[in-house]
Amino acid sequence: MRHLMNPLDFTVEELEKLFDLANDMEKNPDRYANVCHGKKLATCFYEPSTRTRLSFESAMLNLGGSVLGFSSADSSSAAKGESVSDTIRVISCYADICAMRHPKEGAPMVAAERSKIPVINAGDGGHQHPTQTLTDLLTIRSLKGKLGGFTIGLCGDLKFGRTVHSLIEALARYDDVNFIFISPEELKVPDYITQMLKNKNIGYEEVISLDEVIGRLDLLYMTRVQRERFFNEEDYIRLKDFYILTKEKMKAAREDMLVLHPLPRVNEISVEIDDDPRAAYFKQVQYGVYVRMALIYTLLGLEQGGDKAC
Ligand code: NCD
């Protein structure tokens, strides 16, 4: 039985297979419409979410399976003090696979240790968000035709943004990827990530100004400032509108630069960009469904015609 806690849990070769499967699911939805008939996905979300939870649910429904779960800690037994270890043992009796989001870093990992069914980390605190990374990689591969050989700018809250942490670690495995980290001083990417890049001899730059570097980018990954992870509201207010991508700023960007964002967006991308052909963030949402379909199918062992989860 296999879980997904971190994007690095899959090798680059395994990811290629997963993305091929996701592209096949996109092209041939009918072929997969009943492959999860009789299977159940539990979505255990202890923290707010729109996209990730509904994307998982939509993915399972597209495969002919069913879904159950809860969407906040208040509506689960966590409110009574139940541990994630106990909750997952209970959920293991109700479902075949579980997607878990939790505000505490490492909580899905604790659950996986006790679980009898595959557990997918759907975001743990400011730590990791592997399925958003699978979404980002599939989007880049599908729209750019390759992974690697590009300069990516990651902009905004690089300190608390878990999507950024997972994506950098995942992209560091591909050839010829240059990173430009664009953030205010207070929201710089954590040291453990820059240390990992140094250890691997991967080039990166840290800058404050987006205008200064936008013309050099093949990909721009925008992120929101993570209000819920700030200790004080004043700091959040000071930093929340530090970057706003406007039509004017986009004039300096390349014709084929893609703008990505895990969403939700607050103010960091002006809505006037939405119709720009370089805006790829809503396409990203659609790729998120295909990649989660492929992930559920794979973790349930269905590609081997197997029945790992039960
Ligand atoms: C991200 C998350 O939850 O970390 N959203 C998502 O899952 N698509 C990004 C965010 O909340 O800013």
Side-chain angles (χ1 to χ4, degrees), residues 170-205:
L171 283 177
R173 296 195 295 185
Y174 295 91
D175 290 337
D176 195 19
V177 177
N178 296 303
F179 295 96
I180 304 187
F181 302 136
I182 308 149
S183 74
E185 196 59 38
E186 297 88 334
L187 298 179
K188 275 168 74 171
V189 78
D191 288 344
Y192 79 90
I193 292 193
T194 46
Q195 197 52 54
M196 175 276 292
L197 294 174
K198 278 184 200 147
N199 294 345
K200 293 180 147 208
N201 265 327
I202 297 174
Y204 71 89
E205 287 169 56

Side-chain angles (χ1 to χ4, degrees), residues 51-52 101 129 132 162-163 224 226 262-264:
R51 248 154 313 279
T52 306
R101 168 170 289 192
H129 194 341
Q132 182 61 46
R162 56 191 171 197
T163 61
R224 96 188 146 90
Q226 306 267 307
L263 303 180

Side-chain angles (χ1 to χ4, degrees), residues 115-168:
S115 181
K116 295 193 164 48
I117 59 174
V119 178
I120 301 167
N121 177 4
D124 62 326
H127 185 218
Q128 294 279 347
H129 194 341
T131 61
Q132 182 61 46
T133 295
L134 300 185
T135 301
D136 301 338
L137 296 180
L138 177 66
T139 307
I140 298 169
R141 198 184 86 140
S142 302
L143 300 180
K144 284 272 181 206
K146 60 178 181 168
L147 282 165
F150 48 68
T151 297
I152 179 166
L154 296 111
C155 177
D157 187 346
L158 309 187
K159 178 176 180 185
F160 297 114
R162 56 191 171 197
T163 61
V164 165
H165 306 157
S166 291
L167 182 59
I168 299 169

Side-chain angles (χ1 to χ4, degrees), residues 37-99:
H37 179 73
K39 303 276 185 212
K40 282 174 257 159
L41 163 78
T43 50
C44 300
F45 276 58
Y46 295 83
E47 202 187 56
S49 163
T50 310
R51 248 154 313 279
T52 306
R53 185 169 60 81
L54 295 184
S55 177
F56 268 112
E57 296 190 359
S58 169
M60 190 52 158
L61 296 174
N62 287 345
L63 298 170
S66 322
V67 294
L68 67 165
F70 53 87
S71 56
S72 80
D74 300 345
S75 61
S76 78
S77 285
K80 299 180 188 165
E82 187 174 57
S83 67
V84 285
S85 302
D86 280 3
T87 303
I88 196 67
R89 287 175 111 170
V90 171
I91 301 286
S92 295
C93 303
Y94 301 151
D96 303 285
I97 185 163
C98 170

